[in-house]
Amino acid sequence: MTLRWPALLLAALPALAPAQALAPYAVVGDAITAPLGGKQGDAARGRAIVANRQLGLCLLCHSAPMAEERFQGDLAPTLAGAGARWNAGQLRLRLVDPQRLMPGSLMPAYYRVDGLQQVGAAWRGKPLLDAQQIEDVVAYLVTLKD
């Protein structure tokens, strides 16, 4: 059985706000080329989301160039150099719907809400991150060139 949502991840996520309309997006090849909702991301806010163990939970599985953050994950690729490996559109798709590129991935879809499996009732129909938060994380990840 393939787990799409590790139990630890679901247990750690806070209850989310009521469902809201998602900004439409178009997948072009291996990317979502336009920012979600036309929003500009802020790298400092994105870094805070990546480091936040109640919101992004990125460091549960990934390591990142954040020496001050202890207990970083090693289940997934390091985020160091993400901006050199992928452009903003490619990173955006990896956050919005990672299973589209990597079927069977344990990484949750942070913005897609339809067609997911093993999603708790409190999270159904709600994105893990909103459009602004996705853009903030993308803005941070593209800065990671080394």
Side-chain angles (χ1 to χ4, degrees), residues 115-145:
L116 302 174
Q117 299 176 11
Q118 299 179 351
V119 178
W123 295 279
R124 288 186 194 133
K126 302 171 192 169
L128 295 176
L129 297 177
D130 64 27
Q132 183 64 65
Q133 291 168 320
I134 293 287
E135 293 308 318
D136 292 343
V137 173
V138 168
Y140 170 62
L141 294 175
V142 298
T143 70
L144 302 179
K145 302 293 186 184

Side-chain angles (χ1 to χ4, degrees), residues 9-26:
L9 178 62
L10 283 179
L13 287 172
L16 300 173
Q20 51 187 277
L22 298 180
Y25 59 87

Side-chain angles (χ1 to χ4, degrees), residues 71-98:
F71 309 115
Q72 296 186 28
D74 62 1
L75 297 174
T78 180
L79 299 179
R85 293 190 301 272
W86 301 293
N87 64 38
Q90 292 169 318
L91 288 165
R92 189 174 295 111
L93 179 55
R94 281 163 172 75
L95 291 168
V96 167
D97 188 5

Side-chain angles (χ1 to χ4, degrees), residues 32-123:
I32 298 172
T33 57
L36 298 177
K39 301 187 181 292
Q40 293 295 317
D42 177 271
R45 286 192 313 246
R47 186 182 195 283
I49 292 168
V50 169
N52 187 312
R53 295 182 189 271
Q54 282 76 47
L55 182 59
L57 291 168
C58 304
L59 300 181
L60 180 66
C61 296
H62 298 275
S63 63
M66 301 176 174
E68 74 281 7
E69 293 295 331
R70 297 177 51 197
F71 309 115
Q72 296 186 28
D74 62 1
L75 297 174
T78 180
L79 299 179
R85 293 190 301 272
W86 301 293
N87 64 38
Q90 292 169 318
L91 288 165
R92 189 174 295 111
L93 179 55
R94 281 163 172 75
L95 291 168
V96 167
D97 188 5
Q99 290 81 20
R100 184 178 189 113
L101 298 169
M102 301 166 282
S105 173
L106 292 177
M107 184 167 161
Y110 277 87
Y111 196 69
R112 185 174 63 109
V113 297
D114 296 325
L116 302 174
Q117 299 176 11
Q118 299 179 351
V119 178
W123 295 279

